[in-house]
PDB file of all heavy atoms in Angstrom:
ATOM      1  N   GLY A1574     -14.142 -11.127  -3.549  1.00  0.00           N
ATOM      2  CA  GLY A1574     -15.236 -11.287  -4.524  1.00  0.00           C
ATOM      3  C   GLY A1574     -15.614 -12.763  -4.630  1.00  0.00           C
ATOM      4  O   GLY A1574     -16.785 -13.152  -4.508  1.00  0.00           O
ATOM      5  N   TRP A1575     -14.612 -13.590  -4.814  1.00  0.00           N
ATOM      6  CA  TRP A1575     -14.832 -15.039  -4.903  1.00  0.00           C
ATOM      7  C   TRP A1575     -15.390 -15.551  -3.565  1.00  0.00           C
ATOM      8  O   TRP A1575     -16.367 -16.310  -3.562  1.00  0.00           O
ATOM      9  CB  TRP A1575     -13.480 -15.723  -5.225  1.00  0.00           C
ATOM     10  CG  TRP A1575     -13.543 -17.213  -5.038  1.00  0.00           C
ATOM     11  CD1 TRP A1575     -13.996 -18.127  -5.950  1.00  0.00           C
ATOM     12  CD2 TRP A1575     -13.152 -17.949  -3.855  1.00  0.00           C
ATOM     13  NE1 TRP A1575     -13.915 -19.394  -5.405  1.00  0.00           N
ATOM     14  CE2 TRP A1575     -13.411 -19.293  -4.143  1.00  0.00           C
ATOM     15  CE3 TRP A1575     -12.625 -17.577  -2.627  1.00  0.00           C
ATOM     16  CZ2 TRP A1575     -13.136 -20.305  -3.194  1.00  0.00           C
ATOM     17  CZ3 TRP A1575     -12.379 -18.571  -1.694  1.00  0.00           C
ATOM     18  CH2 TRP A1575     -12.617 -19.916  -1.986  1.00  0.00           C
ATOM     19  N   ALA A1576     -14.769 -15.125  -2.469  1.00  0.00           N
ATOM     20  CA  ALA A1576     -15.179 -15.669  -1.155  1.00  0.00           C
ATOM     21  C   ALA A1576     -16.643 -15.370  -0.832  1.00  0.00           C
ATOM     22  O   ALA A1576     -17.363 -16.221  -0.334  1.00  0.00           O
ATOM     23  CB  ALA A1576     -14.248 -15.113  -0.072  1.00  0.00           C
ATOM     24  N   LEU A1577     -17.079 -14.132  -1.139  1.00  0.00           N
ATOM     25  CA  LEU A1577     -18.465 -13.774  -0.811  1.00  0.00           C
ATOM     26  C   LEU A1577     -19.464 -14.540  -1.642  1.00  0.00           C
ATOM     27  O   LEU A1577     -20.594 -14.781  -1.216  1.00  0.00           O
ATOM     28  CB  LEU A1577     -18.669 -12.248  -1.018  1.00  0.00           C
ATOM     29  CG  LEU A1577     -17.976 -11.344   0.006  1.00  0.00           C
ATOM     30  CD1 LEU A1577     -18.235  -9.877  -0.366  1.00  0.00           C
ATOM     31  CD2 LEU A1577     -18.454 -11.599   1.425  1.00  0.00           C
ATOM     32  N   ASN A1578     -19.051 -14.926  -2.859  1.00  0.00           N
ATOM     33  CA  ASN A1578     -19.998 -15.591  -3.754  1.00  0.00           C
ATOM     34  C   ASN A1578     -19.864 -17.100  -3.773  1.00  0.00           C
ATOM     35  O   ASN A1578     -20.831 -17.806  -4.019  1.00  0.00           O
ATOM     36  CB  ASN A1578     -19.813 -15.080  -5.188  1.00  0.00           C
ATOM     37  CG  ASN A1578     -20.204 -13.616  -5.309  1.00  0.00           C
ATOM     38  OD1 ASN A1578     -21.358 -13.268  -5.088  1.00  0.00           O
ATOM     39  ND2 ASN A1578     -19.239 -12.757  -5.590  1.00  0.00           N
ATOM     40  N   GLU A1579     -18.675 -17.621  -3.526  1.00  0.00           N
ATOM     41  CA  GLU A1579     -18.449 -19.060  -3.775  1.00  0.00           C
ATOM     42  C   GLU A1579     -18.075 -19.871  -2.545  1.00  0.00           C
ATOM     43  O   GLU A1579     -18.260 -21.078  -2.525  1.00  0.00           O
ATOM     44  CB  GLU A1579     -17.264 -19.244  -4.777  1.00  0.00           C
ATOM     45  CG  GLU A1579     -17.379 -18.464  -6.070  1.00  0.00           C
ATOM     46  CD  GLU A1579     -18.397 -19.062  -7.026  1.00  0.00           C
ATOM     47  OE1 GLU A1579     -18.732 -20.249  -6.841  1.00  0.00           O
ATOM     48  OE2 GLU A1579     -18.866 -18.334  -7.894  1.00  0.00           O
ATOM     49  N   LEU A1580     -17.499 -19.226  -1.533  1.00  0.00           N
ATOM     50  CA  LEU A1580     -16.962 -19.985  -0.427  1.00  0.00           C
ATOM     51  C   LEU A1580     -18.094 -20.723   0.331  1.00  0.00           C
ATOM     52  O   LEU A1580     -19.142 -20.149   0.549  1.00  0.00           O
ATOM     53  CB  LEU A1580     -16.212 -19.063   0.530  1.00  0.00           C
ATOM     54  CG  LEU A1580     -15.355 -19.710   1.621  1.00  0.00           C
ATOM     55  CD1 LEU A1580     -14.271 -20.595   1.002  1.00  0.00           C
ATOM     56  CD2 LEU A1580     -14.688 -18.638   2.474  1.00  0.00           C
ATOM     57  N   LYS A1581     -17.840 -21.990   0.661  1.00  0.00           N
ATOM     58  CA  LYS A1581     -18.876 -22.814   1.319  1.00  0.00           C
ATOM     59  C   LYS A1581     -18.316 -23.431   2.609  1.00  0.00           C
ATOM     60  O   LYS A1581     -17.115 -23.427   2.838  1.00  0.00           O
ATOM     61  CB  LYS A1581     -19.324 -23.939   0.382  1.00  0.00           C
ATOM     62  CG  LYS A1581     -19.945 -23.481  -0.927  1.00  0.00           C
ATOM     63  CD  LYS A1581     -21.455 -23.240  -0.744  1.00  0.00           C
ATOM     64  CE  LYS A1581     -22.148 -22.666  -1.951  1.00  0.00           C
ATOM     65  NZ  LYS A1581     -21.675 -21.444  -2.519  1.00  0.00           N
ATOM     66  N   ASP A1582     -19.222 -24.026   3.348  1.00  0.00           N
ATOM     67  CA  ASP A1582     -18.884 -24.852   4.525  1.00  0.00           C
ATOM     68  C   ASP A1582     -18.030 -24.147   5.556  1.00  0.00           C
ATOM     69  O   ASP A1582     -16.921 -24.617   5.852  1.00  0.00           O
ATOM     70  CB  ASP A1582     -18.241 -26.161   4.124  1.00  0.00           C
ATOM     71  CG  ASP A1582     -19.200 -26.978   3.282  1.00  0.00           C
ATOM     72  OD1 ASP A1582     -20.420 -26.900   3.543  1.00  0.00           O
ATOM     73  OD2 ASP A1582     -18.736 -27.670   2.367  1.00  0.00           O
ATOM     74  N   PRO A1583     -18.413 -23.146   6.202  1.00  0.00           N
ATOM     75  CA  PRO A1583     -19.651 -22.419   5.945  1.00  0.00           C
ATOM     76  C   PRO A1583     -19.425 -21.278   4.953  1.00  0.00           C
ATOM     77  O   PRO A1583     -18.291 -20.828   4.783  1.00  0.00           O
ATOM     78  CB  PRO A1583     -19.956 -21.847   7.326  1.00  0.00           C
ATOM     79  CG  PRO A1583     -18.607 -21.607   7.923  1.00  0.00           C
ATOM     80  CD  PRO A1583     -17.709 -22.651   7.375  1.00  0.00           C
ATOM     81  N   SER A1584     -20.510 -20.842   4.312  1.00  0.00           N
ATOM     82  CA  SER A1584     -20.397 -19.663   3.476  1.00  0.00           C
ATOM     83  C   SER A1584     -20.250 -18.445   4.387  1.00  0.00           C
ATOM     84  O   SER A1584     -20.523 -18.543   5.594  1.00  0.00           O
ATOM     85  CB  SER A1584     -21.622 -19.518   2.593  1.00  0.00           C
ATOM     86  OG  SER A1584     -22.749 -19.376   3.396  1.00  0.00           O
ATOM     87  N   ILE A1585     -19.823 -17.317   3.829  1.00  0.00           N
ATOM     88  CA  ILE A1585     -19.667 -16.125   4.682  1.00  0.00           C
ATOM     89  C   ILE A1585     -21.051 -15.509   4.884  1.00  0.00           C
ATOM     90  O   ILE A1585     -21.730 -15.106   3.942  1.00  0.00           O
ATOM     91  CB  ILE A1585     -18.693 -15.109   4.035  1.00  0.00           C
ATOM     92  CG1 ILE A1585     -17.291 -15.742   3.997  1.00  0.00           C
ATOM     93  CG2 ILE A1585     -18.640 -13.816   4.848  1.00  0.00           C
ATOM     94  CD1 ILE A1585     -16.297 -14.981   3.186  1.00  0.00           C
ATOM     95  N   GLU A1586     -21.489 -15.475   6.138  1.00  0.00           N
ATOM     96  CA  GLU A1586     -22.816 -14.953   6.444  1.00  0.00           C
ATOM     97  C   GLU A1586     -22.743 -13.537   7.024  1.00  0.00           C
ATOM     98  O   GLU A1586     -23.738 -12.824   7.049  1.00  0.00           O
ATOM     99  CB  GLU A1586     -23.527 -15.875   7.437  1.00  0.00           C
ATOM    100  CG  GLU A1586     -23.814 -17.244   6.849  1.00  0.00           C
ATOM    101  CD  GLU A1586     -24.537 -18.163   7.821  1.00  0.00           C
ATOM    102  OE1 GLU A1586     -25.380 -17.701   8.593  1.00  0.00           O
ATOM    103  OE2 GLU A1586     -24.189 -19.365   7.824  1.00  0.00           O
ATOM    104  N   SER A1587     -21.539 -13.180   7.518  1.00  0.00           N
ATOM    105  CA  SER A1587     -21.392 -11.816   8.026  1.00  0.00           C
ATOM    106  C   SER A1587     -19.991 -11.282   7.718  1.00  0.00           C
ATOM    107  O   SER A1587     -18.989 -12.002   7.859  1.00  0.00           O
ATOM    108  CB  SER A1587     -21.646 -11.745   9.521  1.00  0.00           C
ATOM    109  OG  SER A1587     -21.490 -10.426   9.975  1.00  0.00           O
ATOM    110  N   LEU A1588     -19.954 -10.029   7.287  1.00  0.00           N
ATOM    111  CA  LEU A1588     -18.681  -9.375   6.965  1.00  0.00           C
ATOM    112  C   LEU A1588     -18.604  -8.130   7.851  1.00  0.00           C
ATOM    113  O   LEU A1588     -19.547  -7.328   7.894  1.00  0.00           O
ATOM    114  CB  LEU A1588     -18.710  -8.963   5.484  1.00  0.00           C
ATOM    115  CG  LEU A1588     -17.443  -8.366   4.894  1.00  0.00           C
ATOM    116  CD1 LEU A1588     -16.347  -9.438   4.757  1.00  0.00           C
ATOM    117  CD2 LEU A1588     -17.723  -7.772   3.497  1.00  0.00           C
ATOM    118  N   TYR A1589     -17.455  -7.950   8.522  1.00  0.00           N
ATOM    119  CA  TYR A1589     -17.247  -6.759   9.349  1.00  0.00           C
ATOM    120  C   TYR A1589     -16.086  -5.971   8.745  1.00  0.00           C
ATOM    121  O   TYR A1589     -14.933  -6.418   8.795  1.00  0.00           O
ATOM    122  CB  TYR A1589     -16.955  -7.142  10.803  1.00  0.00           C
ATOM    123  CG  TYR A1589     -16.830  -5.935  11.714  1.00  0.00           C
ATOM    124  CD1 TYR A1589     -17.926  -5.471  12.445  1.00  0.00           C
ATOM    125  CD2 TYR A1589     -15.630  -5.227  11.813  1.00  0.00           C
ATOM    126  CE1 TYR A1589     -17.814  -4.348  13.267  1.00  0.00           C
ATOM    127  CE2 TYR A1589     -15.516  -4.097  12.635  1.00  0.00           C
ATOM    128  CZ  TYR A1589     -16.604  -3.675  13.339  1.00  0.00           C
ATOM    129  OH  TYR A1589     -16.508  -2.564  14.167  1.00  0.00           O
ATOM    130  N   VAL A1590     -16.380  -4.831   8.166  1.00  0.00           N
ATOM    131  CA  VAL A1590     -15.356  -4.045   7.449  1.00  0.00           C
ATOM    132  C   VAL A1590     -14.934  -2.830   8.285  1.00  0.00           C
ATOM    133  O   VAL A1590     -15.819  -2.105   8.785  1.00  0.00           O
ATOM    134  CB  VAL A1590     -15.891  -3.531   6.105  1.00  0.00           C
ATOM    135  CG1 VAL A1590     -14.805  -2.759   5.336  1.00  0.00           C
ATOM    136  CG2 VAL A1590     -16.422  -4.682   5.254  1.00  0.00           C
ATOM    137  N   TYR A1591     -13.653  -2.657   8.485  1.00  0.00           N
ATOM    138  CA  TYR A1591     -13.143  -1.452   9.140  1.00  0.00           C
ATOM    139  C   TYR A1591     -11.831  -1.048   8.513  1.00  0.00           C
ATOM    140  O   TYR A1591     -11.079  -1.894   8.056  1.00  0.00           O
ATOM    141  CB  TYR A1591     -13.013  -1.638  10.678  1.00  0.00           C
ATOM    142  CG  TYR A1591     -12.073  -2.752  11.097  1.00  0.00           C
ATOM    143  CD1 TYR A1591     -10.846  -2.479  11.695  1.00  0.00           C
ATOM    144  CD2 TYR A1591     -12.415  -4.096  10.913  1.00  0.00           C
ATOM    145  CE1 TYR A1591      -9.989  -3.487  12.097  1.00  0.00           C
ATOM    146  CE2 TYR A1591     -11.565  -5.119  11.306  1.00  0.00           C
ATOM    147  CZ  TYR A1591     -10.337  -4.813  11.905  1.00  0.00           C
ATOM    148  OH  TYR A1591      -9.513  -5.832  12.285  1.00  0.00           O
ATOM    149  N   THR A1592     -11.586   0.250   8.450  1.00  0.00           N
ATOM    150  CA  THR A1592     -10.326   0.777   7.960  1.00  0.00           C
ATOM    151  C   THR A1592     -10.021   0.291   6.539  1.00  0.00           C
ATOM    152  O   THR A1592      -8.842   0.138   6.165  1.00  0.00           O
ATOM    153  CB  THR A1592      -9.169   0.381   8.931  1.00  0.00           C
ATOM    154  OG1 THR A1592      -9.720   0.074  10.199  1.00  0.00           O
ATOM    155  CG2 THR A1592      -8.185   1.486   9.089  1.00  0.00           C
ATOM    156  N   SER A1593     -11.031   0.091   5.755  1.00  0.00           N
ATOM    157  CA  SER A1593     -10.818  -0.344   4.371  1.00  0.00           C
ATOM    158  C   SER A1593     -12.100  -0.105   3.578  1.00  0.00           C
ATOM    159  O   SER A1593     -13.192  -0.011   4.151  1.00  0.00           O
ATOM    160  CB  SER A1593     -10.444  -1.824   4.317  1.00  0.00           C
ATOM    161  OG  SER A1593     -10.185  -2.211   2.972  1.00  0.00           O
ATOM    162  N   ASN A1594     -11.943  -0.093   2.261  1.00  0.00           N
ATOM    163  CA  ASN A1594     -13.089   0.183   1.384  1.00  0.00           C
ATOM    164  C   ASN A1594     -13.097  -0.842   0.222  1.00  0.00           C
ATOM    165  O   ASN A1594     -12.848  -0.487  -0.925  1.00  0.00           O
ATOM    166  CB  ASN A1594     -12.968   1.628   0.859  1.00  0.00           C
ATOM    167  CG  ASN A1594     -14.132   2.025   0.001  1.00  0.00           C
ATOM    168  OD1 ASN A1594     -15.158   1.345  -0.046  1.00  0.00           O
ATOM    169  ND2 ASN A1594     -13.982   3.135  -0.712  1.00  0.00           N
ATOM    170  N   PRO A1595     -13.362  -2.106   0.561  1.00  0.00           N
ATOM    171  CA  PRO A1595     -13.177  -3.156  -0.461  1.00  0.00           C
ATOM    172  C   PRO A1595     -14.032  -3.012  -1.710  1.00  0.00           C
ATOM    173  O   PRO A1595     -13.615  -3.423  -2.777  1.00  0.00           O
ATOM    174  CB  PRO A1595     -13.537  -4.454   0.290  1.00  0.00           C
ATOM    175  CG  PRO A1595     -14.278  -4.039   1.515  1.00  0.00           C
ATOM    176  CD  PRO A1595     -13.768  -2.680   1.860  1.00  0.00           C
ATOM    177  N   ALA A1596     -15.195  -2.360  -1.601  1.00  0.00           N
ATOM    178  CA  ALA A1596     -16.024  -2.213  -2.803  1.00  0.00           C
ATOM    179  C   ALA A1596     -15.303  -1.384  -3.861  1.00  0.00           C
ATOM    180  O   ALA A1596     -15.580  -1.536  -5.048  1.00  0.00           O
ATOM    181  CB  ALA A1596     -17.364  -1.534  -2.438  1.00  0.00           C
ATOM    182  N   ALA A1597     -14.352  -0.577  -3.435  1.00  0.00           N
ATOM    183  CA  ALA A1597     -13.597   0.242  -4.386  1.00  0.00           C
ATOM    184  C   ALA A1597     -12.176  -0.297  -4.614  1.00  0.00           C
ATOM    185  O   ALA A1597     -11.689  -0.293  -5.760  1.00  0.00           O
ATOM    186  CB  ALA A1597     -13.503   1.676  -3.881  1.00  0.00           C
ATOM    187  N   VAL A1598     -11.517  -0.775  -3.567  1.00  0.00           N
ATOM    188  CA  VAL A1598     -10.071  -1.061  -3.707  1.00  0.00           C
ATOM    189  C   VAL A1598      -9.745  -2.498  -4.049  1.00  0.00           C
ATOM    190  O   VAL A1598      -8.631  -2.811  -4.493  1.00  0.00           O
ATOM    191  CB  VAL A1598      -9.284  -0.673  -2.402  1.00  0.00           C
ATOM    192  CG1 VAL A1598      -9.489   0.773  -2.036  1.00  0.00           C
ATOM    193  CG2 VAL A1598      -9.607  -1.596  -1.216  1.00  0.00           C
ATOM    194  N   ALA A1599     -10.677  -3.438  -3.790  1.00  0.00           N
ATOM    195  CA  ALA A1599     -10.364  -4.836  -4.047  1.00  0.00           C
ATOM    196  C   ALA A1599     -10.562  -5.152  -5.548  1.00  0.00           C
ATOM    197  O   ALA A1599     -11.388  -4.537  -6.196  1.00  0.00           O
ATOM    198  CB  ALA A1599     -11.247  -5.733  -3.197  1.00  0.00           C
ATOM    199  N   PRO A1600      -9.796  -6.107  -6.073  1.00  0.00           N
ATOM    200  CA  PRO A1600      -9.934  -6.426  -7.497  1.00  0.00           C
ATOM    201  C   PRO A1600     -11.267  -7.107  -7.820  1.00  0.00           C
ATOM    202  O   PRO A1600     -11.908  -7.659  -6.931  1.00  0.00           O
ATOM    203  CB  PRO A1600      -8.768  -7.374  -7.764  1.00  0.00           C
ATOM    204  CG  PRO A1600      -8.375  -7.915  -6.448  1.00  0.00           C
ATOM    205  CD  PRO A1600      -8.747  -6.888  -5.428  1.00  0.00           C
ATOM    206  N   ASP A1601     -11.634  -7.059  -9.084  1.00  0.00           N
ATOM    207  CA  ASP A1601     -12.856  -7.703  -9.606  1.00  0.00           C
ATOM    208  C   ASP A1601     -14.096  -7.127  -8.928  1.00  0.00           C
ATOM    209  O   ASP A1601     -14.880  -7.840  -8.303  1.00  0.00           O
ATOM    210  CB  ASP A1601     -12.744  -9.218  -9.387  1.00  0.00           C
ATOM    211  CG  ASP A1601     -13.592  -9.984 -10.385  1.00  0.00           C
ATOM    212  OD1 ASP A1601     -14.419  -9.357 -11.079  1.00  0.00           O
ATOM    213  OD2 ASP A1601     -13.461 -11.227 -10.460  1.00  0.00           O
TER     214      ASP A1601
END
Side-chain angles (χ1 to χ4, degrees):
W1575 168 84
L1577 289 177
N1578 293 297
E1579 308 285 341
L1580 192 58
K1581 298 273 175 304
D1582 298 326
S1584 61
I1585 295 169
E1586 295 180 38
S1587 180
L1588 185 71
Y1589 183 95
V1590 182
Y1591 59 109
T1592 339
S1593 183
N1594 183 13
V1598 304
D1601 205 348

